Amino acid sequence: MTSPIEAEDATASVALDDETPANSKAVETDAPVGRSPGQLMWMRFKRDRTGVITAVVVLFYFVIAALAPVISSLYGKNPYTLYAQEPDYPFLLDDFAMPTGSFGGISGDFWFGVEPNLGRDVFTMLLYGMRTSLFMALVLTALSVLTGVIIGMVGGYFGGKVDYWLGRTTDFFLSFPSQLFFIAFMPVVTALFVSPTEETPTYMRAVAIILVMWFLGWMGMARLVRSSVLSLREREFVEAAKVSGASRWRIVRKEILPNIVTPILVQGTYMLPSAILSIAFLSFVGVGFVEPTPDWGRMFATGAEIYVEDPAFMFFPGIAMVVFVLCFNLLGDSVRDAFDPKTGR
C-alpha cells in the first residue's frame, strides 16, 4: 500500500524511445531527484531562520543542563554550599542577610550573585534547576505523548463502543481542575510510598510529580490523535490495505501512524514547555521539590519572598525561563510549518 506521505514526492517516470538524443546525459543530469518527506521537511526547516535560531537556543539549554556537573566543577562552586558561612567569603551578606555589592552580589567569584539569607551561588543553582526541570519535563512529555497516541489511535481506529468509552474516560479526566488536583494529590501520592514521619527522598518526589502530572497530561494528545485517525481510517489507501488482507496492526503501523507524525510532533513541542511551567508551579506553591534540591520553581518562590529587598535574585531565573519557553514555542511553529508549509499561508 502507498499512503499519501509515501507518495508525496514521487516523480513520474518518462519512457524513452530507441532514438536517444546526443545530449541524453545532460538531460538525465538535470532531471528532478525524488526526495523523502523527511528530506523535504529538513530543507524547509533550514530555510526558516527563526526555526534554526530557536533550535540552537533550545539545544544549548539541554547541553548546559546535561553538563551542569562539569560546568559546576570548572566554576569551582556548587548549589548546596552556604558560602556566606565560609571563611573565604566573610562579607557576602550584610547585617540583614542581604547580598553585599551591586545587583545581588554579582562579582568575579559569583557570576549571578548569591542567594539572600543563605549565601548560596545563584549561577550553579540555576544550572541545576534547569537540569531538574528540563529532564523531568522530558520524561513527563514522553509518557503523556505515548499514552495519548495509544488511546487516541485505539479509539479512532476501532470506533463504536471502544471509541465511546475511551472518549467518556477522556472527558472524565478533562473535568478535573488540574492545578488544584496537583496541589491536593501530591501529598497523597508521596504518603503512599513514604511514612509521614520520614523525610521524603528527592527521587520519590520526582516520581510523584511525574505520576500526578502524567495522570492529567495525556488527554489533549489523545483527542488530537483520535480526530486525525478518524479522518484517515476511511481513506482509499487504508481501504486498499484492508482489501489486500493486511492486519489491523500493520494498517495502524504502516498506513495511519506515518500520516499523523506531524500533529504528534508539533503537539509534543507545545507540551514540553507547558510541563516545565507546571513543574515549576508545584515547587513554587510548596508541593514539588523542596530544600535543598535546586529547582526553577523554588528559585521563583524565594525571589517572590525577598523581591523588595533583592529584586536581582529573580532576574536570571526569570530571563532563562522566558527565553526557553518562548524559543520552544517558536520552534514548534517552525516544525509545523516545515512539515506542512500550507499552514503558514
Side-chain angles (χ1 to χ4, degrees):
M1 295 319 108
T2 302
S3 62
I5 196 170
E6 296 171 343
E8 178 181 342
D9 196 55
T11 55
S13 60
V14 180
L16 301 178
D17 51 19
D18 294 333
E19 298 180 358
T20 305
N23 60 346
S24 60
K25 292 184 178 180
V27 173
E28 293 176 0
T29 303
D30 298 335
V33 180
R35 295 186 176 90
S36 67
Q39 291 173 324
L40 292 173
M41 177 267 178
W42 177 240
M43 290 178 59
R44 288 191 290 262
F45 183 78
K46 288 191 297 183
R47 291 196 295 264
D48 188 346
R49 184 176 301 177
T50 301
V52 173
I53 294 174
T54 54
V56 172
V57 173
V58 169
L59 181 61
F60 173 77
Y61 268 78
F62 280 103
V63 171
I64 290 297
L67 297 178
V70 178
I71 297 173
S72 176
S73 177
L74 296 175
Y75 178 57
K77 295 178 177 62
N78 62 72
Y80 307 106
T81 302
L82 307 182
Y83 290 100
Q85 301 177 5
E86 295 290 319
D88 295 336
Y89 307 100
F91 303 108
L92 278 183
L93 303 179
D94 59 19
D95 295 337
F96 301 98
M98 291 293 114
T100 57
S102 60
F103 207 71
I106 291 179
S107 65
D109 293 325
F110 299 93
W111 295 351
F112 288 0
V114 295
E115 181 187 20
N117 301 320
L118 298 178
R120 291 180 294 193
D121 179 67
V122 176
F123 178 68
T124 52
M125 289 177 66
L126 179 58
L127 288 181
Y128 278 80
M130 289 167 49
R131 179 185 177 92
T132 302
S133 298
L134 291 182
F135 290 106
M136 285 280 294
L138 274 179
V139 174
L140 175 61
T141 302
L143 291 174
S144 299
V145 168
L146 181 62
T147 305
V149 168
I150 293 175
I151 293 179
M153 290 193 69
V154 170
Y157 183 74
F158 288 96
K161 292 184 177 180
V162 174
D163 184 32
Y164 175 82
W165 287 111
L166 287 178
R168 301 297 73 76
T169 302
T170 303
D171 293 337
F172 171 75
F173 283 107
L174 283 172
S175 66
F176 282 92
S178 58
Q179 293 184 346
L180 293 177
F181 182 88
F182 294 157
I183 297 173
F185 275 79
M186 269 297 298
V188 175
V189 174
T190 54
L192 292 176
F193 302 98
V194 181
S195 172
T197 59
E198 299 178 1
E199 180 67 24
T200 304
T202 301
Y203 77 90
M204 189 60 65
R205 287 189 175 274
V207 171
I209 291 173
I210 291 175
L211 289 177
V212 171
M213 296 187 66
W214 177 29
F215 187 70
L216 292 180
W218 55 267
M219 294 83 71
M221 178 63 74
R223 281 196 161 186
L224 176 66
V225 171
R226 173 186 175 274
S227 62
S228 301
V229 173
L230 286 176
S231 65
L232 289 173
R233 69 178 186 178
E234 306 299 334
R235 296 283 293 274
E236 294 81 0
F237 64 93
V238 176
E239 293 296 334
K242 293 178 180 178
V243 172
S244 67
S247 64
R248 289 178 172 177
W249 166 242
R250 178 177 177 81
I251 292 173
V252 169
R253 183 168 54 92
K254 292 292 187 179
E255 308 296 338
I256 295 180
L257 184 59
N259 286 282
I260 61 174
V261 168
T262 299
I264 292 174
L265 184 59
V266 173
Q267 182 69 12
T269 59
Y270 292 134
M271 291 172 65
L272 192 141
S274 177
I276 289 177
L277 294 176
S278 298
I279 293 171
F281 167 77
L282 290 180
S283 297
F284 182 84
V285 298
V287 295
F289 291 106
V290 297
E291 293 283 2
T293 305
D295 181 72
W296 250 335
R298 277 206 318 101
M299 294 187 73
F300 286 127
T302 303
E305 294 175 357
I306 47 89
Y307 179 78
V308 177
E309 295 83 2
D310 184 20
F313 180 78
M314 196 182 290
F315 178 78
F316 292 106
I319 292 295
M321 178 170 285
V322 169
V323 170
F324 179 82
V325 173
L326 176 62
C327 287
F328 217 104
N329 286 332
L330 292 176
L331 178 62
D333 293 337
S334 298
V335 170
R336 179 196 61 198
D337 294 340
F339 271 108
D340 188 4
K342 293 184 292 183
T343 58
R345 298 177 183 175

